[in-house]
Amino acid sequence: MIKLQLPLTEADVRQLKVGDEVALSGIMVTGRDEAHTWLINDKPDNVRKLLEGSVIYHCGPVVSKTDGEWKFVAAGPTTSIREEPIQADVVKEYKLRGVIGKGGMGPKTLAGLKEFGAVYLHAIGGAATLLAKSVKKVTDVIKLEEFGVPEAMWILEVEDFPAVVTMDSHGNSLHTKIKADSDKIAKELIGN
Amino acid sequence: MAFKLNKEKFRDAVLELIRLTSTELPRDVIAAMEKARDNEEPGSAAKSVLGSMLKNVVMAKADSTPICQDTGTNIHFVTIPEGISLRKVEQAIIEATQQATAEAYLRPNAVDSLTGKNTGDNTGVMAPYIHFEEWDDPAIKLQLALKGGGCENVSTQYKLPDTSLKAGRNLEGVYKCIIDAINKAQGLGCAPGVIGVGVGGDRATGMIMAKKQLFRKMGDSNPVQQLDDLEQKLLVDLNKLGIGPLGFGGKTTVLGVKIGAVHRLPASFFVSIAYMCWADRHHEMLFTESEVSYD
Ligand code: SF4
């Protein structure tokens, strides 16, 4: 288990390779379709400092509010591939060091991760309660009114948020490798 | 003996069934996951991910919060005694569903397919889905499964013969379809999954049979010998694919395979595959006039 403190440097990220288990602590930001589109179309400046060196988490949480304080009740990852068309651009524009989600992403993102020095981290799909507990504090939320709860950008302080590196900054994707291997075995089993 | 339905009592009992299903995994599923975790290589991502999933299960139960935030499609299989009003049972289930959503055991998951509007309470056209059968016992049996979107998206259906797989209209053909489907799913259905299969039927009844299989116990055996053999073989072979938990690689790609057969038309031979994620949430309730019990 590699402990990582956000924000990350390029050196932090370049040492990671696929299959590494990591635990993240520090400030991260959630973002789904609406946030990604907004980041590219409007290029807002108020989030640059926040995102630089940090990671964007593909997550539509279940939240509760007590005494004016937001709390994450369930915070599992959502499917990442939807952001494939613009993920690399977002990484570049905002100097992100990582993307967290589930299911992995495609060749454009993989190339972007390599070029700009970032990684794709796979969170534990379905482990909603466990992941919510690693969110120590919701420090702010951006575009809540406009985007709604699942799509808003939630600024989170996390502690030991668990994930696995499945796409590294050297052009390797665990997803591609596992698929190539299993394709071969499936073919043998099907026997054609 | 005529069975008299106390609607309020029944509704409250269904609400408890929904809470239980959303927040606690069945014991046999937990046992299968523990076995899988112990079986994975020390220090592997597979082992630690299964460990985290199990930790999540413990936390969700302790806090009575949803195991996964996608509380899925609500599928009810109801078995009723003769003479009970289906409409009353249905109405009670709908009310319990609305209440369970209000109490955050269910996430609002029913979206109008034309307007995109979420009804906000998990009810709508054919939502929740309720399937009725009748039996002789003076009790209502209610089985509920919560089936998430991620795994439903990798559920699929084949039509035999399938030339690309060289799969014919026989159990060998069925075998090939299942290997192909699970390989295509990779980790996307939040592996390790439990695979329900319906052989035959029309496109709808085959899939209902597939979903019905998801209520079987993990370690049971199929009463039909041929199907039992196929289940055992698939359990071993699918785990050879090496996809592993969440597709990270490993020995556990599926936890179980359950197959049922339905009569079909001479002209059709469908293989319907219902992929259920590791968050295999299903429970059963038995409701009599005097008491309620849960599995
Ligand atoms: S596939 Fe299952 S575990 Fe994964 S996110 Fe969906 S409901 Fe949750």
Side-chain angles (χ1 to χ4, degrees), chain B residues 118-170:
Chain B
N118 195 317
T119 61
D121 65 3
N122 275 302
T123 68
V125 180
M126 292 183 96
Y129 176 71
I130 307 171
H131 180 91
F132 284 104
E133 286 173 26
E134 190 178 305
W135 65 353
D136 287 328
D137 290 15
I140 299 176
K141 181 168 83 173
L142 180 45
Q143 295 172 302
L144 168 64
L146 302 181
K147 190 162 185 311
C151 60
E152 187 68 2
N153 285 342
V154 296
S155 294
T156 185
Q157 198 164 51
Y158 291 78
K159 178 165 66 74
L160 296 180
D162 182 301
T163 43
S164 70
L165 294 173
K166 297 206 182 77
R169 293 183 154 194
N170 48 39

Side-chain angles (χ1 to χ4, degrees), chain A residues 7-8 27 29-57 86-99 112 116-118 142-143 147 153:
Chain A
L8 300 168
I27 302 287
V29 186
T30 70
R32 303 178 46 152
D33 308 8
E34 300 264 9
H36 280 76
T37 312
W38 178 61
L39 289 172
I40 286 302
N41 290 350
D42 293 25
K43 303 241 163 54
D45 284 323
N46 60 337
V47 293
R48 287 188 189 274
K49 249 190 90 154
L50 204 61
L51 292 176
E52 189 169 336
S54 187
V55 296
I56 198 160
Y57 179 26
I86 56 170
Q87 189 69 70
D89 304 331
V90 172
V91 169
K92 179 183 179 194
E93 179 73 30
Y94 295 91
K95 303 191 177 75
L96 285 166
R97 290 287 169 218
V99 176
F116 312 121
I142 297 169
K143 290 272 173 186
F147 295 169
M153 295 183 80

